[in-house]
Amino acid sequence: MVDRDELLSLYEQMAVIRRTEKAAHDLFLQGLVKGTTHLAAGHEAIAVGASAALHDDDYVFATYRGHHHALARGATPEECLAELMSRATGLCGAKGGSMHLTKAATGMLGSYAIVGAHLPMAVGAAWSARLRGTGQLAVAFFGDGATNIGAFHEALNLAAVWKLPVLFVCENNLYMEYTPIADVTAVAHPAADRAPAYGIPGEVVDGNDVVAVRETVARLARRARAGDGPAIVEAQTYRHFGHSRADPAAYRPAEEVERWLKHDPLDLARGRLVELGVRPETVTAADDRARAVVEKAVEAAKAAPGPDPSEALTDVWADGGAAWRT
């Protein structure tokens, strides 16, 4: 069970992520973020809750909507915002941008723009952990739309056959880009309802409840590490913004948006903190710390230099450069 101190820490992490996402939104409107962004405001409890259940050396793979996972796995707001703003101090030195946030040193093995492409990669990482006997776990986070492509099924099948230490966490926000997932899927729960076909557990959890996510992932992670194989977690959630910055999300019914905004991950965590006897001013102090961290990150990212053109071809290939290719 999550105690009050841990829950307060999880809440503050979510508050930092929420403010970082808002900063990314505002910086985009100011013309300081180049290219598009896919914001994860509303999804914070999934990244934070799951990460809290993992070991420091576990592997995480995310989608192009991966800011929250990078931050939950140790990237700083300054690193992420600088990357979005194409600054030399960015997480990937301005080479990745919003859709490719990566911090291998903390196990964040990338955000991937190709839908579902990282699921087989997570299987491979789990297989390598099994071969090396490290006890590590691989976790692939993906959207509901990825459940209808071949890579999802191929990854599940191989992971099940080899009983690999890998978890598949679906962030079901009801929409695959602009299309309701329910309109094009034969089962009610696009990820969890497919699990029985592969003989593995599939569980649905409130993806806006950080405690429920943490406890579910922790339990299934213990199972996977014990050699009992993979599992699917379908975390039900809702994005506060459109699919990308080019999407006003006008296709979503107003009553649906209102209902989900009342089920905000931060509000749920605040309610749990009150139930545990945490004083309101303590929660306010956590919010203030989060605001200060992100405000400082924004200013630092704005002031950072652009990338050095001479570094353009470094870190591109495994040997650190492209010279051998020519």
Side-chain angles (χ1 to χ4, degrees):
M1 188 66 183
V2 176
D3 63 29
R4 55 193 287 175
D5 291 336
E6 182 180 7
L7 181 54
L8 184 62
S9 175
L10 298 179
Y11 172 81
E12 189 167 335
Q13 290 180 55
M14 291 195 294
V16 167
I17 293 172
R18 176 67 60 83
R19 289 186 177 278
T20 303
E21 293 287 74
K22 179 61 166 58
H25 170 270
D26 294 345
L27 291 166
F28 180 91
L29 294 181
Q30 294 169 31
L32 295 175
V33 172
K34 308 304 180 184
T36 192
T37 55
H38 301 80
L39 300 178
H43 289 217
E44 298 90 351
I46 301 172
V48 171
S51 186
L54 302 180
H55 295 174
D56 290 343
D57 63 348
D58 286 337
Y59 302 123
V60 166
F61 298 79
T63 72
Y64 49 75
R65 196 184 309 282
H67 302 167
H68 52 325
H69 295 297
L71 290 161
R73 292 302 285 174
T76 67
E78 180 181 342
E79 289 175 319
C80 292
L81 292 173
E83 184 65 27
L84 269 62
M85 296 168 66
S86 301
R87 300 296 200 256
T89 56
L91 193 57
C92 300
K95 295 177 184 176
S98 174
M99 293 194 285
H100 300 97
L101 297 179
T102 303
K103 191 165 187 175
T106 64
M108 175 63 187
L109 297 190
S111 305
Y112 295 85
I114 299 176
V115 175
H118 59 299
L119 274 66
M121 295 180 190
V123 172
W127 177 236
S128 78
R130 167 71 60 76
L131 288 177
R132 292 178 289 112
T134 62
Q136 291 167 287
L137 184 75
V139 184
F141 295 90
F142 56 99
D144 46 278
T147 63
N148 285 338
I149 69 169
F152 169 77
H153 298 277
E154 293 167 4
L156 287 183
N157 182 65
L158 194 57
V161 169
W162 288 348
K163 299 185 72 172
L164 295 177
V166 56
L167 298 183
F168 300 95
V169 181
C170 175
E171 299 185 35
N172 185 354
N173 60 28
L174 308 186
Y175 291 88
M176 41 185 300
E177 291 197 47
Y178 322 114
T179 304
I181 186 67
D183 288 356
V184 294
T185 307
V187 292
H189 301 108
D193 286 352
R194 265 73 177 261
Y198 300 99
I200 64 176
E203 299 192 19
V204 178
V205 65
D206 182 352
N208 285 6
D209 186 338
V210 69
V211 174
V213 173
R214 186 198 182 286
E215 292 178 345
T216 300
V217 172
R219 174 168 44 79
L220 294 175
R222 288 192 296 270
R223 176 184 177 277
R225 293 186 207 279
D228 293 329
I232 293 176
V233 177
E234 183 169 332
Q236 297 178 323
T237 187
Y238 203 74
R239 46 179 163 81
H240 289 188
F241 294 93
H243 168 69
S244 69
R245 286 303 311 126
D247 172 25
Y251 47 83
R252 300 192 301 186
E255 60 274 14
E256 176 187 279
V257 175
E258 181 181 4
R259 182 173 68 253
W260 275 98
L261 290 180
K262 290 179 178 177
H263 194 62
D264 185 289
L266 273 71
D267 291 342
L268 292 182
R270 288 189 197 98
R272 282 186 175 273
L273 286 167
V274 170
E275 291 173 1
L276 291 173
V278 176
R279 297 175 64 85
E281 54 266 34
T282 300
V283 180
T284 299
D287 283 320
D288 290 342
R289 289 192 297 271
R291 182 181 64 253
V293 165
V294 176
E295 287 178 351
K296 183 178 179 181
V298 169
E299 294 310 310
K302 285 181 176 180
D308 184 345
S310 69
E311 298 290 315
L313 296 182
T314 60
D315 302 318
V316 177
W317 312 107
D319 66 350
W324 66 275
R325 289 274 180 174
T326 57

